[in-house]
Amino acid sequence: KNDEHLRRSAMSGDSYTVYYWTKCAKFYGRAGPIVLCLEDAGASYEVKDPADVPPNAGFAFPMLTLPDGLTIAQTPAICDVLGERLGLNGATPEAKILSKQYVLDFNDLFSELMAGKLADEARKDKWFALFEHRLQKGPYFLGDKHSVVDFFGLIVFEWLDAKGITYDKFPNVTTWRTTTVTELPAVKKLYATGVPMIPQS
């Protein structure tokens, strides 16, 4: 019920502004999880060019201006705020804490991917074994309901796939990636735009 209240609040006219490269016209990139959260909640938002961001709000994009006028940066931090405001960070106190960790875990995985550390097969499998275990509790990373963790993880998996990282020996992870998360309405909507989730090489 609390989640529904938060979602109704998100649809009540409060508007968010996302700032990202090309206004997400060429790719969603690290703004992807943010846009997915807003779409999923039915929140009012617009995407603007980085040149339009208020001065001294942060260093790297994306950034987000909240309905109260505060502008924040750092994708994991933005996702944490939106998860709480939009009811997308779990239904229990435990889940809300785990949501913070799981997003940062995905952020670490992305950093390791870009640093070439996943070429180490044992290290790569250790990551996916962790995700496999988490998905035993339900189809999504926080259990029976999708969350900001799934949206953040989707973008990381887009990069994993693009880099040729395989995880087919982990059935829960494979099902989540190929079916569960891609069937969410917000995800389907973004795919339907034809705008790539990540930059195309």
Side-chain angles (χ1 to χ4, degrees):
K1 290 182 178 179
N2 186 49
D3 286 354
E4 275 306 310
H5 172 72
L6 290 167
R7 287 172 182 275
R8 286 197 298 272
S9 295
M11 299 171 68
S12 66
D14 289 346
S15 184
Y16 297 80
T17 304
V18 181
Y19 305 90
Y20 198 57
W21 307 114
T22 76
K23 297 190 285 188
C24 291
K26 293 186 177 180
F27 59 89
Y28 288 103
R30 290 182 67 84
I34 300 165
V35 174
L36 285 167
C37 286
L38 295 168
E39 284 285 350
D40 184 81
S44 174
Y45 74 95
E46 60 179 330
V47 183
K48 292 187 175 183
D49 190 83
D52 297 322
V53 76
N56 302 312
F59 184 81
F61 294 92
M63 297 186 195
L64 179 74
T65 297
L66 302 169
D68 61 9
L70 177 66
T71 300
I72 57 175
Q74 297 287 352
T75 305
I78 294 171
C79 287
D80 185 45
V81 171
L82 290 180
E84 182 65 28
R85 289 189 173 214
L86 304 178
L88 282 167
N89 62 345
T92 66
E94 178 188 65
K96 292 178 188 300
I97 292 170
L98 291 175
S99 173
K100 298 174 188 289
Q101 179 195 329
Y102 290 1
V103 165
L104 291 172
D105 284 343
F106 271 127
N107 202 52
D108 284 349
L109 176 63
F110 177 73
S111 296
E112 292 205 1
L113 172 68
M114 293 308 187
K117 292 184 178 181
L118 299 189
D120 180 335
E121 194 76 12
R123 189 174 186 88
K124 180 194 80 168
D125 284 354
K126 187 176 181 180
W127 272 113
F128 290 125
L130 177 63
F131 299 148
E132 185 75 5
H133 174 75
R134 288 175 180 173
L135 288 167
Q136 288 177 356
K137 298 178 182 179
Y140 303 103
F141 276 94
L142 292 182
D144 293 331
K145 183 148 188 342
H146 66 274
S147 69
V148 64
V149 180
D150 299 287
F151 292 146
F152 197 98
L154 171 64
I155 303 302
V156 174
F157 268 77
E158 287 278 341
W159 278 103
L160 291 167
D161 292 344
K163 297 287 187 181
I165 301 298
T166 59
Y167 42 85
D168 52 303
K169 62 184 177 181
F170 299 95
N172 293 336
V173 173
T174 301
T175 298
W176 173 86
R177 173 65 183 103
T178 59
T179 306
T180 307
V181 73
T182 57
E183 287 300 312
L184 291 170
V187 175
K188 292 173 75 171
K189 182 175 180 179
L190 258 64
Y191 279 143
T193 66
V195 176
M197 286 289 188
I198 63 174
Q200 303 298 290
S201 56

